[in-house]
Amino acid sequence: MDIGSKNSYPAGKLSNFTGFKFIFDGVECASMEGLLQAFKYSNVEAQVITCGLVGYDAKRKGSGRNSYWQSRQTLWWKDTAYPRKSKLYQNLLNRAYNALYENEDFRKALADAGSAIFTHSMGRNNEKETVLTEREFCSRLQHLKDKGKLPDVFDTF
């Protein structure tokens, strides 16, 4: 099942662009895309604002920070720097997706995917270019669908 915001249900609903509200580390998030784009900011205030965005609005806001985080290969959350290629960052992603998993509508869309295997054809695969590779995204969705919550510490993602 190819995940994308313009695809039919449930694939379209499982996109990071979908407006699923959840709380992550005490911050209200309007979508996973908003949270992922917030990781590009070292400023906590900018992170909170970005977390309130959905879909293309979030993507557009974060795109202005691509060269900044990419040149440093560092992402941020609440005054903590995360090297992009670190277990700490993978742990952050696991915690973020576990927070999203608390949303009942998100869990329903996952369940409605049935036995599907997830893909994300529009996703990038180079960690240096994206805050979430296709593999990181799809493996987390698959784990949540098949087994429930992700481990809090880095596993095999």
Side-chain angles (χ1 to χ4, degrees), residues 124-141:
R124 291 186 177 172
N125 294 307
N126 187 339
E127 292 173 328
K128 293 180 179 182
E129 298 174 353
T130 183
V131 298
L132 186 71
T133 65
E134 176 188 14
R135 181 173 169 265
E136 289 167 330
F137 175 51
C138 292
S139 63
R140 283 177 171 83
L141 287 183

Side-chain angles (χ1 to χ4, degrees), residues 55-91:
Y56 288 105
D57 290 337
K59 183 82 168 177
R60 207 170 6 261
K61 180 159 176 47
S63 67
R65 298 290 291 180
N66 285 341
S67 62
Y68 184 77
W69 83 263
Q70 288 171 348
S71 68
R72 291 159 180 77
Q73 286 301 293
T74 302
L75 295 149
W76 298 266
W77 182 244
K78 289 192 155 191
D79 293 324
T80 301
Y82 293 86
R84 174 61 181 93
K85 291 186 177 184
S86 70
K87 289 182 179 183
L88 288 175
Y89 183 65
Q90 295 301 314
N91 294 345

